[in-house]
């Protein structure tokens, strides 16, 4: 009832207050990392604009605020910034026309090669980072790897049902997995399962240390630096090239839809190959048509 009364008197609320209440009202359904991101967005709103009452906000002055933010941030960040503010306004029944946003740039993700992965796995043998990096190359997220315990391993089956994330106070906490599809069981090589049991745990260190070590290994081997998450890119591309379907890859990696495979993880070299083959095939078709007098 209190929330309904507050929503009905939106003219008394500044955008900053409305944002804070919006986040608070969803604290039981949002993940700690989402709350942290939302609060960061609120802190980036211009102080003068943040003081405006909701009834004073319109498409024009919101557009000015979006333009200001976009001048120093990426298109993706600007979309997230605008989307959050629009969600807050809609939550309070303040419906205005959406502002114009910069066009998102299509970025081709770097996908590590099979040779690079082999070099890295050879270099990290016997270190505390061997198991987590192998699991990352099998499509697991860092948050999932760091939350795994020896109890999640049965035979050579791993149960993935939790994640280690940073909350709004920048403390690491364990929570349930990101989505329903993220909760899953996967098979790992028996040799890896034995290695985990011999060690007695999967990973006990600081999450960021995994990437830091990966970066040192990359520098030592003289290969391109890429983040731990790029190993997830490698998994999807590698599994795809082995002939597994998008649906199978999606289930193993815990993706909610197959859109990721179709729009992000499809290897650019494969796309170039397809373009060459299409051109060659249609060239043959044209040649045959001319030869046959068509």
């Amino acid at each position: 009832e209190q929330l309904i009364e507050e929503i009905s008197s939106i003219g008394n609320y500044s955008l900053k207050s409305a944002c804070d209440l919006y986040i608070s009202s969803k604290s039981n359904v949002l993940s700690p990392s989402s709350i942290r991101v939302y609060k960061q967005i609120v802190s980036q709103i211009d102080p003068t604009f943040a003081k405006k009452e909701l009834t004073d906000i319109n498409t024009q002055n919101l557009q000015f605020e979006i333009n200001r933010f976009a001048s120093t941030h990426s298109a993706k960040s600007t979309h997230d910034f605008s989307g959050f503010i629009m969600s807050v306004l809609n939550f309070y029944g303040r419906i205005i026309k959406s502002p114009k946003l910069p066009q998102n740039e299509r970025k081709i993700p770097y996908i590590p090669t099979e040779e690079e992965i082999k070099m890295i796995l050879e270099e990290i043998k016997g270190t505390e980072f061997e198991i987590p990096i192998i699991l990352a190359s099998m499509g697991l997220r860092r948050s999932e790897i760091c939350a795994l315990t020896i109890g999640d391993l049965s035979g050579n089956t791993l149960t993935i049902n939790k994640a280690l994330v940073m909350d709004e106070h920048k403390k690491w906490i364990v929570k349930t997995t990101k989505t329903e599809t993220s909760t899953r069981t996967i098979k790992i090589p028996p040799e890896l399962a034995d290695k985990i049991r011999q060690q007695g745990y999967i990973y006990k260190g600081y999450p960021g240390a995994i990437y830091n070590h990966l970066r040192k290994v990359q520098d030592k081997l003289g290969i391109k630096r890429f983040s731990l998450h790029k190993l997830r890119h490698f998994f999807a591309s590698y599994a795809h090239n082995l002939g597994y379907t998008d649906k199978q890859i999606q289930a193993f990696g815990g993706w909610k839809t197959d859109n990721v495979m179709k729009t992000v993880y499809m290897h650019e070299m494969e796309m170039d190959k397809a373009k060459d083959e299409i051109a060659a095939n249609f060239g043959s078709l044209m040649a045959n048509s001319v030869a046959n007098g068509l």
Side-chain angles (χ1 to χ4, degrees):
E1 293 181 0
Q2 180 182 358
L3 182 59
I4 294 175
E5 290 177 4
E6 290 170 338
I7 293 175
S8 65
S9 57
I10 62 174
N12 297 326
Y13 272 84
S14 67
L15 176 60
K16 172 66 168 60
S17 297
C19 288
D20 291 341
L21 182 59
Y22 174 82
I23 295 172
S24 177
S25 70
K26 295 182 177 292
S27 60
N28 291 331
V29 295
L30 291 174
S31 68
S33 55
S34 294
I35 293 176
R36 178 168 55 86
V37 170
Y38 286 169
K39 288 192 174 184
Q40 183 179 11
I41 290 177
V42 175
S43 70
Q44 294 173 318
I45 299 174
D46 179 79
T48 300
F49 190 72
K51 292 178 181 177
K52 283 186 176 294
E53 292 187 353
L54 297 189
T55 50
D56 292 331
I57 295 178
N58 53 46
T59 301
Q60 184 179 29
N61 54 34
L62 176 57
Q63 185 68 64
F64 281 119
E65 173 62 8
I66 297 301
N67 292 348
R68 179 199 66 79
F69 184 87
S71 66
T72 55
H73 293 81
S74 68
K76 181 182 183 304
S77 295
T78 303
H79 278 253
D80 292 342
F81 182 79
S82 174
F84 173 76
I85 293 177
M86 288 297 291
S87 294
V88 172
L89 294 176
N90 290 338
F91 179 74
Y92 282 92
R94 182 74 176 117
I95 309 300
I96 65 173
K97 184 179 178 181
S98 299
K100 292 183 179 180
L101 300 172
Q103 184 175 353
N104 273 323
E105 298 178 2
R106 180 178 179 269
K107 293 184 178 180
I108 300 173
Y110 178 74
I111 302 176
T113 66
E114 184 178 348
E115 184 60 31
E116 288 174 331
I117 299 303
K118 287 180 178 178
M119 291 170 64
I120 290 171
L121 295 184
E122 181 64 30
E123 183 64 29
I124 62 175
K125 274 186 179 179
T127 70
E128 63 178 307
F129 303 102
E130 180 180 9
I131 292 172
I133 289 178
I134 290 176
L135 291 175
S137 68
M138 293 183 66
L140 273 70
R141 302 173 177 89
R142 185 187 71 171
S143 60
E144 295 170 341
I145 295 169
C146 292
L148 285 170
T149 67
I150 192 71
D152 296 317
L153 178 65
S154 176
N156 68 324
T157 298
L158 265 180
T159 297
I160 303 165
N161 55 18
K162 52 190 177 296
L164 184 70
V165 299
M166 186 178 287
D167 68 8
E168 60 185 293
H169 306 295
K170 296 186 177 181
K171 292 183 179 180
W172 292 100
I173 63 170
V174 175
K175 69 169 194 67
T176 56
T177 42
K178 188 176 182 181
T179 63
E180 184 178 343
T181 51
S182 295
T183 299
R184 62 201 188 279
T185 60
I186 65 168
K187 298 281 188 179
I188 62 174
E191 299 83 359
L192 180 58
D194 290 341
K195 189 182 290 289
I196 292 173
R197 276 187 283 268
Q198 290 170 6
Q199 180 172 272
Y201 60 92
I202 292 172
Y203 182 67
K204 290 184 176 180
Y206 180 74
I210 304 175
Y211 170 61
N212 291 337
H213 186 75
L214 176 62
R215 185 171 55 186
K216 290 178 182 178
V217 170
Q218 291 164 343
D219 290 346
K220 180 179 178 179
L221 296 174
I223 62 179
K224 179 183 176 68
R225 281 188 178 184
F226 52 81
S227 68
L228 190 71
H229 192 72
K230 292 297 187 292
L231 294 178
R232 191 162 157 82
H233 295 198
F234 164 78
F235 164 75
S237 179
Y238 183 66
H240 178 83
N241 290 335
L242 287 176
Y244 293 100
T245 66
D246 284 353
K247 187 174 182 180
Q248 291 169 326
I249 299 170
Q250 175 187 333
F252 195 99
W255 283 284
K256 188 175 182 180
T257 69
D258 65 357
N259 186 58
V260 175
M261 272 68 74
K262 292 179 177 177
T263 61
V264 179
Y265 295 145
M266 185 65 73
H267 205 295
E268 196 66 19
M269 289 178 62
E270 183 178 285
M271 297 299 289
D272 288 340
K273 180 182 177 182
K275 292 174 185 176
D276 291 339
E277 289 178 351
I278 289 172
N281 288 331
F282 272 86
S284 298
L285 178 63
M286 292 171 63
N288 290 335
S289 298
V290 172
N292 294 327
L294 298 179

